[in-house]
Each structure stands twice: as structure tokens, then as C-alpha cells.
Amino acid sequence: MRLRTALLATTLMAAAPAASMATTITGPYVDIGGGYNLTQTQHGHFADTDGGTEPGREKLGHRHGWTGFGAVGWGFGNGLRA
């Protein structure tokens, strides 16, 4: 447990200078990104809607795959964006 705490503290101390070098966005900006979507299958139990006594069972499946996103907006210079 002490090793985990030491690693967390080291990571936080290393991330602080990187966060302080972040620039404020003023004016228009465009952002794109992507990654791999790795989701898990979920099981749900729902009430039976046909009037039976057994509850309905459903399996909600999600598929793995690539994902991407984009953003366009305006930075006001004080940290707020629209």
C-alpha cells in the first residue's frame, strides 16, 4: 500500500508543473480527438409489461470499437468556452 501511495504522490507532483504551463484560449478554437471504446456488457431486470408474474430479463450489449470526437468553439480568455 505504501508503494501505491508513493507512486500517486510522485504522479501528482509531476503533473503540477505541466498543468501550470497550460495556456488560456482566447478566440476561436478547433479540437479533435479519438480513442478506443471498451465497454462491458450489462444485465438488467425489468418488470414484465404483458401482465405476467415473471420479471423480464434483458441483456444490454455494447460493442467495442473506435470512437472520435470534435469540438468547435470560442474561448473567452478567462477559462470559459462556448
Side-chain angles (χ1 to χ4, degrees), residues 1-11:
M1 190 62 93
R2 290 179 183 249
L3 177 61
R4 183 183 299 173
T5 305
L7 289 174
L8 179 62
T10 304
T11 304

Side-chain angles (χ1 to χ4, degrees), residues 58-74:
E58 293 291 331
K59 182 178 180 181
L60 305 174
H62 301 279
R63 299 189 186 270
H64 305 267
W66 296 98
T67 184
F69 66 89
V72 177
W74 185 271

Side-chain angles (χ1 to χ4, degrees), residues 30-81:
V30 177
D31 184 26
I32 60 171
Y36 190 74
N37 190 15
L38 183 62
T39 57
Q40 64 184 13
T41 302
Q42 301 174 0
H43 300 277
H45 301 280
F46 303 100
D48 193 8
T49 57
D50 64 1
T53 58
E54 297 277 334
R57 294 177 188 254
E58 293 291 331
K59 182 178 180 181
L60 305 174
H62 301 279
R63 299 189 186 270
H64 305 267
W66 296 98
T67 184
F69 66 89
V72 177
W74 185 271
F76 292 104
N78 59 358
L80 297 177
R81 298 180 188 184

